[in-house]
Amino acid sequence: MSPQNLVVIGASLAGLRAAEAARKAGFSGTITMVGAEHHLPYDRPPLSKAYLDGVEPKAPYFRTEEKLRDDLGVELLLGASATGLDTANKQVLLGESRLDYDALVIATGATARRLPGVAGLAGVHTLRTLDDAMAVRGALDAGARTVVVGCGFIGSEVASGARKRGLEVTVVEAQPTPLARAVGDEMGRVCAKLHHRHGTDLRCGVGVERIEGEGRVERVVLSDGTAIDADLVVVGIGAEPNTEWLAGSGLALDDGVVCDEYLCAGDGIYAAGDVARWHNPLFDRAMRLEHWTSAAEQAAVAARNAVHPAEAKPYRTVPYFWSDWYDSRIQFVGIPAAEEVRIVEGDPARDRRVVALYREGDRLVGALTINGQNVIMKFRGLIMKGASWADAVAFAEQRRAVAASA
Amino acid sequence: MKISVDRSKCTGLGICESLAPDVFEIDDDGDLVLKTDEVPPGQLADIEAAVDGCPTEALRLHQD
Ligand SMILES: Cc1cc2nc3c(=O)[nH]c(=O)nc-3n(C[C@H](O)[C@H](O)[C@H](O)COP(=O)(O)OP(=O)(O)OC[C@H]3O[C@@H](n4cnc5c(N)ncnc54)[C@H](O)[C@@H]3O)c2cc1C
Ligand code: SF4
């Protein structure tokens, strides 16, 4: 019998898209969505971008409560956490109570990693939730001297937001080059230049020794002994998938919920979004992404497969993310694990626009652009089609020639 | 079926272009260009994927 009772754990982007896709696929059974936060599903990318700007921010909620309940027919349990999973009886544990499912979508996302030993110190924040963003925004409004720990995408966006307001910002990065894992060493260095150009004090290869202050942060002491005065510290050192509640459930967990190419993790159980590690057939490897686009798409595929298992389809994608720093947009498609990175357009020392390609064997596997909105998706298309490195380089050359003659 | 873009929402991220390059393209200024506002034959599924894939919900499909 086809499933009649869909339970979605996690009420954010992936959770919402799962519920919407199930309905769109004609599912008429019950949908229950459980979310640990008290908020209705909301969008995270703006939290480190528009939300930190000087102007009054727009509430980032995706849908109204009426829309979710009445139009989508979702029973919402907000402020409730799943605490366990009993696969034998097909039940999700919510503390003392149990929720039956016959199809389950796990969309519990990820939690920002914290620095040890700073609990209870006011002015030290991570940036993952709307509540975090309100706190960071409030501190920026008050003109905080800002220290960002970790030169990843979110930390860099916070630094941009603070600089746009004219505030003093220091970014502390433990690795010798920022973003090495996300885009490789060479392009990590190129991105780092954006910070230098906009007056952010970026210090690489140095760790945070401790954060000092009486009840509230006063300064950050680095491993080289320097002390930086600060009113606001934003910690952006990555995120961990929310899988603790699944410990002992029998599901395979390995930096995420392990799924096959159908996003299936067990009998009637699917996962999507930041929490899912699935086999991406396009690159023939397992990956866990923390990107908006794949979270939305995986959720739709997972939900359709969950409610119509007989017609299950695999999820294949060329990973894509963007990040806005100062007045530049960084976009990346594909995977950064490459044997060669070649800058095919722009001189990073001089130009605002840079295009770089990533090679594995004789295949194009990735592309990064800074202010290259008009080509990035063409490279995504090429990667999707399995284009050769030679063809990709030729295409880039042709685009560059056209642009130069314009 | 016709396609329309809400310019006040679109941020030029180009996800639509990667899903349906015959219809959507990001131009040199980083703005979205609709190459046609009619759904080309056989491309409805791609266009629907673009509508669903747009992070700002800027795209809409409608009857004329
Ligand atoms: C500040 C910020 C900026 C970003 N910017 C970009 C960007 O520019 N481009 C890009 O591509 N991506 C960006 N991302 C990433 C993108 O937002 C995520 O990939 C996306 O939010 C993932 O959605 P999700 O639903 O899988 O997980 P999440 O959004 O993490 O949601 C998971 C939800 O599940 C809840 N939950 C967790 N455990 C439980 C439990 N046991 N029971 C019930 N509920 C639970 C959580 O409270 C949370 O609300 C950004 C993320 C952040 C935080
Ligand atoms: S995906 Fe949406 S926001 Fe991005 S370019 Fe297309 S319409 Fe605009």
Side-chain angles (χ1 to χ4, degrees), chain A residues 242-387:
Chain A
N242 289 322
T243 55
E244 328 72 68
W245 67 283
L246 295 166
S249 64
L251 293 191
L253 304 175
D254 173 17
D255 180 36
V257 176
V258 178
C259 308
D260 63 12
E261 66 248 57
Y262 299 93
L263 297 163
C264 183
D267 180 22
I269 304 170
Y270 294 78
D274 288 8
V275 77
R277 169 174 297 280
W278 98 115
H279 188 87
N280 186 350
L282 203 62
F283 294 92
D284 191 24
R285 67 196 75 179
M287 33 180 103
R288 184 176 72 82
L289 302 173
E290 291 180 1
H291 304 157
W292 196 100
T293 308
S294 45
E297 291 174 349
Q298 286 175 347
V301 174
R304 285 195 295 264
N305 290 350
V307 298
H308 298 307
E311 293 138 50
K313 291 200 174 59
Y315 177 64
R316 41 166 51 228
T317 194
V318 176
Y320 165 60
F321 68 81
W322 75 95
S323 185
D324 296 333
W325 298 20
Y326 310 100
D327 50 359
S328 289
R329 171 162 286 174
I330 299 172
Q331 289 169 292
F332 186 85
V333 294
I335 54 173
E339 291 152 26
E340 180 188 352
V341 177
R342 191 184 295 179
I343 295 177
V344 292
E345 196 185 324
D347 174 354
R350 205 183 55 220
D351 297 328
R352 257 177 58 76
R353 175 181 165 103
V354 176
V355 179
L357 302 182
Y358 294 65
R359 175 180 68 81
E360 195 176 76
D362 59 1
R363 232 180 111 184
L364 173 73
V365 291
L368 179 143
T369 61
I370 304 177
N371 300 313
Q373 287 95 321
N374 62 343
V375 289
I376 189 72
M377 288 304 167
K378 300 189 168 64
F379 289 114
R380 192 180 193 214
L382 289 176
I383 299 169
M384 184 89 81
K385 281 190 281 192

Side-chain angles (χ1 to χ4, degrees), chain A residues 221-242:
Chain A
V221 181
L222 307 184
S223 54
D224 63 5
T226 342
I228 309 168
D229 290 335
D231 311 301
L232 167 68
V233 175
V234 179
V235 179
I237 53 173
E240 308 264 4
N242 289 322

Side-chain angles (χ1 to χ4, degrees), chain B residues 20-48:
Chain B
D22 292 345
V23 174
F24 307 102
E25 184 166 27
I26 305 296
D27 70 10
D28 294 348
D29 300 325
D31 295 326
L32 175 65
V33 179
L34 273 190
K35 296 196 208 168
T36 164
D37 64 356
E38 286 285 349
V39 175
Q43 293 204 16
L44 186 59
D46 290 347
I47 311 279
E48 278 177 343

Side-chain angles (χ1 to χ4, degrees), chain A residues 17 63 329 374 378 380, chain B residues 11 17-18 28 52 57:
Chain A
R17 290 302 178 101
R63 305 280 178 271
R329 171 162 286 174
N374 62 343
K378 300 189 168 64
R380 192 180 193 214
Chain B
T11 56
E17 176 176 340
S18 69
D28 294 348
D52 286 345
E57 306 191 334

Side-chain angles (χ1 to χ4, degrees), chain A residues 83 93-98:
Chain A
T83 50
L93 280 61
L94 305 173
E96 296 300 298
S97 61
R98 286 171 172 256

